[in-house]
Amino acid sequence: VPRETLERIVGTIRRAPSAGFSQGQRLVVVAEPERRRAIAEAVEENYYVEQGFAPWISGAAALVVVCTREDDYHDRYRQPDKLQDGDEIAWPVPYWYADAGAAAMLIMLAAIDEGLAAGVFGIPAERMERMRELLELPGDVAIVEVITLGFPAEDAASDRLSSRGTRPRRDSR
């Protein structure tokens, strides 16, 4: 995937919502094959490959790691125009994660608009520290999810073996 295409895709988060315009999202784009393989190893991609799935993490053209920095939200909501009775709001939900999810969706939609395929995976808690090391993340930045980007291909194994193939869609209520 050309660098310009990746830049257009990740550039979409400039329009992503963020509570109070806190802008706490961070993206790490991993295009180097060695680092993609190290990430795939860290999240144990081989477990899925041995079950018949394609190596969709190590084989992706790029990975976009969606991160957030909670302190950006607290910093913003401690500013005078956001205080309520002189205090930061009581956060009803952690909007830093909600906003990171919105940014991730924008990235996936932009990738589709570019003719690419996109997938998403999370990092198990026990593997998070290894991922943080591989990405050289500062301690105050949290990984939310990882998006795989690449060229569309047939994915019969996922159609058959993944949750989308083994679980029915819920009835709309």
Side-chain angles (χ1 to χ4, degrees), residues 44-55 161:
E44 297 183 2
E45 177 186 57
N46 280 343
Y47 170 81
Y48 296 98
V49 171
E50 289 169 4
Q51 293 182 44
F53 291 94
L161 302 170

Side-chain angles (χ1 to χ4, degrees), residues 59-81:
L63 303 175
V64 179
V65 185
V66 180
C67 304
T68 192
R69 184 176 176 271
E70 178 181 345
D71 288 344
D72 287 338
Y73 289 78
H74 296 296
D75 292 346
R76 174 66 181 107
Y77 276 79
R78 290 180 186 134
Q79 293 177 5
D81 66 319

